[in-house]
Amino acid sequence: SHTYLAAAYGAKVWAVEPYEFHARRLHIMGQLNGWDLTVFCGGADNVTGEHVIHHTGSNIEMRNVLLEPGKQILKTWTVPVVRMDEFVHETKKITLLKVDTDGHDYKALLGARGLFTNPGVKYAKIELIPYTLETVHPELKNPAMDLLLYLRELGLVIYHVHVGAHYSIMEWFCVDDLALLEPGEEQVLLDELFEKRTPDFPW
């Protein structure tokens, strides 16, 4: 939806889509409407190569879903993956970088490091779900904290959707829903997220 909206308003859009059907639909929509849209059929990662991906019914996921009890895998296949700073060839500052990969976000952002320095990124919308990050990074003690500190390293000012907000609105939200995350408050936010975990809603 973000891709269609931005492209329809005349923005130059680079899209990474791992599901072939959705990638093909994006490409056709771009051609039919004359959008400035470039689509990569694959995933975003910190290295360029290949990665296993799973279809679990409602989602297409790159994380190790076998670590999650009750998760049913309908199909598994391999897709090409690319660093975003190698895929995106842009000289003007990027207005918005949106990353939503159900746990693969840290690796995707590591592969986007070059974009933040040249040409630069004005805004970034990033999904932060500690539980899914843990399934991708079992070797890390606190991958959610590592991700937040990496964003600080990139020079970003971090805002988050109020933890009390209903999670269904987090895809689209108003400025009033945002709260500034001051340096040093990262663990407070993560503790609040961990407290909201339930068996049916583990993140």
Side-chain angles (χ1 to χ4, degrees):
S1 54
H2 287 73
T3 299
Y4 292 132
L5 183 62
Y9 272 93
K12 183 176 184 179
V13 180
W14 304 78
V16 177
E17 171 55 59
Y19 195 30
E20 184 178 358
F21 172 78
H22 292 158
R24 189 184 309 116
R25 184 174 62 179
L26 281 172
H27 179 70
I28 293 172
M29 286 289 288
Q31 287 189 321
L32 290 175
N33 290 283
W35 293 341
D36 192 352
L37 172 62
T38 303
V39 182
F40 175 78
C41 183
D45 204 347
N46 61 329
V47 295
T48 295
E50 293 184 334
H51 200 286
V52 172
I53 199 165
H54 308 284
H55 184 200
T56 59
S58 59
N59 288 321
I60 305 295
E61 304 174 71
M62 294 175 69
R63 68 182 191 267
N64 188 354
V65 292
L66 297 177
L67 297 178
E68 302 176 43
K71 203 75 167 182
Q72 182 182 8
I73 298 176
L74 303 180
K75 181 181 177 182
T76 297
W77 68 101
T78 300
V79 298
V81 292
V82 67
R83 288 181 59 95
M84 285 193 284
D85 57 13
E86 294 180 357
F87 166 59
V88 178
H89 302 285
E90 185 54 65
T91 57
K92 297 181 180 178
K93 191 169 188 176
I94 296 168
T95 302
L96 174 66
L97 173 66
K98 178 181 181 288
V99 179
D100 182 353
T101 64
D102 289 307
H104 214 73
D105 312 81
Y106 188 19
K107 286 191 174 183
L109 285 163
L110 287 172
R113 177 185 286 272
L115 296 180
F116 287 89
T117 55
N118 185 22
V121 176
K122 187 174 184 180
Y123 301 109
K125 181 176 182 287
I126 298 160
E127 182 179 68
L128 176 67
I129 302 178
Y131 173 72
T132 57
L133 286 166
E134 291 166 7
T135 64
V136 175
H137 302 279
E139 77 284 1
L140 299 179
K141 183 178 180 180
N142 192 345
M145 175 63 81
D146 291 342
L147 172 54
L148 288 172
L149 295 180
Y150 175 64
L151 297 178
R152 297 284 190 206
E153 179 188 338
L154 293 174
L156 299 181
V157 177
I158 303 175
Y159 291 82
H160 65 93
V161 177
H162 293 297
V163 174
H166 193 278
Y167 279 80
S168 65
I169 70 167
M170 285 194 165
E171 186 69 14
W172 299 97
F173 51 85
C174 299
V175 173
D176 291 341
D177 295 321
L178 298 176
L180 177 64
L181 185 66
E182 298 282 2
E185 293 182 349
E186 293 85 3
Q187 192 57 54
V188 175
L189 171 64
L190 295 180
D191 289 343
E192 292 178 355
L193 291 174
F194 278 113
E195 288 175 3
K196 298 186 80 65
R197 285 184 171 186
T198 67
D200 295 328
F201 198 75
W203 51 81

Coordinates of all heavy atoms in Angstrom, one line a residue, residues 6-36:
A6 N 2.8 6.1 -2.8 CA 3.9 7.0 -3.1 C 4.0 7.1 -4.6 O 4.2 8.2 -5.2 CB 5.2 6.4 -2.5
A7 N 4.0 6.0 -5.3 CA 4.1 6.0 -6.8 C 3.0 6.7 -7.5 O 3.2 7.5 -8.4 CB 4.2 4.6 -7.3
A8 N 1.8 6.6 -7.0 CA 0.6 7.2 -7.6 C 0.7 8.7 -7.4 O 0.1 9.5 -8.2 CB -0.7 6.7 -6.9
Y9 N 1.4 9.2 -6.3 CA 1.5 10.6 -6.1 C 2.8 11.2 -6.8 O 3.1 12.4 -6.7 CB 1.6 10.9 -4.6 CG 0.3 11.2 -4.0 CD1 -0.4 10.1 -3.4 CD2 -0.3 12.4 -4.0 CE1 -1.7 10.3 -2.8 CE2 -1.6 12.6 -3.4 CZ -2.2 11.6 -2.8 OH -3.5 11.8 -2.2
G10 N 3.4 10.4 -7.6 CA 4.5 10.8 -8.5 C 5.9 10.7 -7.9 O 6.9 11.1 -8.5
A11 N 6.0 10.0 -6.8 CA 7.3 9.7 -6.2 C 8.1 8.7 -7.0 O 7.5 7.8 -7.6 CB 7.2 9.3 -4.7
K12 N 9.4 8.7 -7.0 CA 10.3 7.7 -7.5 C 10.4 6.6 -6.4 O 10.8 6.9 -5.3 CB 11.6 8.3 -7.9 CG 12.6 7.2 -8.5 CD 13.9 7.9 -9.0 CE 14.8 6.9 -9.7 NZ 16.0 7.6 -10.1
V13 N 10.0 5.4 -6.8 CA 9.9 4.3 -5.8 C 10.8 3.1 -6.2 O 10.8 2.7 -7.3 CB 8.5 3.9 -5.6 CG1 8.4 2.8 -4.5 CG2 7.6 5.0 -5.2
W14 N 11.6 2.6 -5.2 CA 12.3 1.4 -5.3 C 11.7 0.4 -4.3 O 11.6 0.7 -3.1 CB 13.8 1.6 -4.9 CG 14.5 2.7 -5.7 CD1 14.4 4.0 -5.6 CD2 15.4 2.5 -6.8 NE1 15.1 4.7 -6.5 CE2 15.8 3.7 -7.3 CE3 15.9 1.3 -7.5 CZ2 16.6 3.9 -8.3 CZ3 16.7 1.5 -8.6 CH2 17.1 2.8 -9.0
A15 N 11.2 -0.7 -4.8 CA 10.5 -1.7 -4.0 C 11.2 -3.1 -4.0 O 11.6 -3.6 -5.0 CB 9.0 -1.8 -4.5
V16 N 11.3 -3.6 -2.8 CA 11.8 -5.0 -2.6 C 10.7 -5.9 -2.2 O 10.1 -5.7 -1.1 CB 13.0 -5.0 -1.6 CG1 13.5 -6.5 -1.4 CG2 14.1 -4.1 -2.1
E17 N 10.3 -6.9 -3.0 CA 9.1 -7.7 -2.7 C 9.5 -9.2 -2.9 O 9.8 -9.6 -4.0 CB 8.0 -7.3 -3.6 CG 6.8 -8.3 -3.5 CD 6.3 -8.5 -2.1 OE1 5.9 -7.5 -1.5 OE2 6.2 -9.7 -1.7
P18 N 9.5 -10.0 -1.9 CA 10.0 -11.4 -2.0 C 9.0 -12.3 -2.7 O 9.4 -13.4 -3.2 CB 10.3 -11.8 -0.6 CG 9.4 -11.0 0.3 CD 9.3 -9.6 -0.5
Y19 N 7.7 -12.0 -2.6 CA 6.7 -12.9 -3.2 C 6.5 -12.6 -4.6 O 6.1 -11.5 -5.0 CB 5.4 -12.7 -2.4 CG 4.3 -13.8 -2.6 CD1 4.7 -15.1 -2.9 CD2 3.0 -13.6 -2.5 CE1 3.8 -16.1 -3.1 CE2 2.0 -14.5 -2.7 CZ 2.5 -15.8 -3.0 OH 1.5 -16.8 -3.2
E20 N 6.7 -13.5 -5.5 CA 6.7 -13.3 -6.9 C 5.4 -12.7 -7.5 O 5.4 -11.8 -8.3 CB 7.1 -14.6 -7.7 CG 7.2 -14.4 -9.2 CD 7.6 -15.7 -9.9 OE1 7.8 -16.7 -9.2 OE2 7.7 -15.7 -11.1
F21 N 4.3 -13.2 -7.0 CA 3.0 -12.7 -7.4 C 2.9 -11.2 -7.1 O 2.4 -10.4 -8.0 CB 1.9 -13.5 -6.7 CG 0.5 -12.9 -7.0 CD1 -0.1 -13.2 -8.2 CD2 -0.1 -12.1 -6.1 CE1 -1.4 -12.6 -8.5 CE2 -1.4 -11.6 -6.3 CZ -2.0 -11.9 -7.5
H22 N 3.2 -10.8 -5.9 CA 3.1 -9.4 -5.5 C 4.1 -8.5 -6.3 O 3.8 -7.4 -6.7 CB 3.4 -9.2 -4.0 CG 2.3 -9.8 -3.2 ND1 2.5 -10.2 -1.9 CD2 1.0 -10.1 -3.5 CE1 1.3 -10.7 -1.4 NE2 0.4 -10.6 -2.3
A23 N 5.3 -9.1 -6.5 CA 6.3 -8.3 -7.3 C 5.9 -8.1 -8.7 O 6.0 -7.0 -9.3 CB 7.7 -9.1 -7.3
R24 N 5.3 -9.1 -9.3 CA 4.8 -9.0 -10.7 C 3.6 -8.0 -10.8 O 3.6 -7.2 -11.7 CB 4.3 -10.4 -11.2 CG 4.0 -10.4 -12.7 CD 3.4 -11.7 -13.2 NE 4.3 -12.9 -12.7 CZ 3.9 -13.8 -11.9 NH1 2.7 -13.8 -11.4 NH2 4.7 -14.8 -11.6
R25 N 2.8 -8.1 -9.8 CA 1.6 -7.1 -9.8 C 2.1 -5.7 -9.6 O 1.6 -4.8 -10.3 CB 0.7 -7.5 -8.6 CG -0.5 -6.6 -8.5 CD -1.5 -7.1 -7.5 NE -0.9 -7.0 -6.1 CZ -1.5 -7.3 -5.0 NH1 -2.8 -7.8 -5.1 NH2 -1.0 -7.2 -3.9
L26 N 3.1 -5.5 -8.8 CA 3.7 -4.1 -8.7 C 4.3 -3.6 -10.0 O 4.1 -2.5 -10.4 CB 4.8 -4.1 -7.6 CG 4.4 -4.1 -6.1 CD1 5.6 -4.3 -5.2 CD2 3.7 -2.7 -5.8
H27 N 5.0 -4.5 -10.7 CA 5.6 -4.2 -11.9 C 4.6 -3.8 -13.0 O 4.7 -2.8 -13.7 CB 6.5 -5.4 -12.4 CG 7.2 -5.1 -13.7 ND1 8.2 -4.2 -13.9 CD2 7.0 -5.6 -15.0 CE1 8.6 -4.2 -15.1 NE2 7.8 -5.0 -15.8
I28 N 3.5 -4.6 -13.1 CA 2.5 -4.4 -14.1 C 1.7 -3.1 -13.7 O 1.5 -2.3 -14.6 CB 1.5 -5.6 -14.1 CG1 2.2 -6.8 -14.7 CG2 0.3 -5.2 -14.9 CD1 1.4 -8.1 -14.6
M29 N 1.4 -2.9 -12.5 CA 0.8 -1.6 -12.1 C 1.6 -0.4 -12.4 O 1.1 0.6 -12.9 CB 0.5 -1.6 -10.6 CG -0.7 -2.6 -10.2 SD -2.3 -2.0 -10.7 CE -2.5 -0.6 -9.6
G30 N 2.9 -0.5 -12.2 CA 3.8 0.6 -12.5 C 3.8 0.9 -14.0 O 3.8 2.1 -14.4
Q31 N 3.8 -0.2 -14.8 CA 3.8 0.0 -16.3 C 2.5 0.6 -16.8 O 2.5 1.5 -17.6 CB 4.1 -1.3 -17.0 CG 5.5 -1.8 -16.9 CD 5.8 -3.0 -17.8 OE1 4.9 -3.9 -17.9 NE2 6.9 -3.0 -18.4
L32 N 1.4 0.1 -16.3 CA 0.1 0.5 -16.7 C -0.2 2.0 -16.4 O -0.8 2.7 -17.1 CB -1.0 -0.3 -16.1 CG -1.1 -1.8 -16.6 CD1 -2.2 -2.5 -15.8 CD2 -1.5 -1.8 -18.1
N33 N 0.4 2.4 -15.2 CA 0.1 3.8 -14.7 C 1.2 4.8 -15.0 O 1.1 6.0 -14.7 CB -0.2 3.8 -13.2 CG -1.5 3.1 -12.9 OD1 -2.6 3.7 -13.0 ND2 -1.4 1.9 -12.4
G34 N 2.3 4.3 -15.7 CA 3.4 5.2 -16.0 C 4.2 5.6 -14.7 O 4.7 6.7 -14.7
W35 N 4.2 4.8 -13.7 CA 4.9 5.2 -12.4 C 6.4 5.0 -12.6 O 6.9 4.2 -13.4 CB 4.4 4.3 -11.3 CG 3.0 4.5 -10.9 CD1 2.2 5.6 -11.2 CD2 2.1 3.6 -10.2 NE1 0.9 5.4 -10.7 CE2 0.9 4.2 -10.0 CE3 2.3 2.4 -9.6 CZ2 -0.2 3.6 -9.3 CZ3 1.3 1.8 -8.9 CH2 0.1 2.4 -8.8
D36 N 7.1 5.8 -11.8 CA 8.6 5.7 -11.8 C 8.9 4.7 -10.6 O 9.2 5.0 -9.5 CB 9.2 7.0 -11.5 CG 10.7 7.0 -11.6 OD1 11.3 5.9 -11.8 OD2 11.3 8.1 -11.6

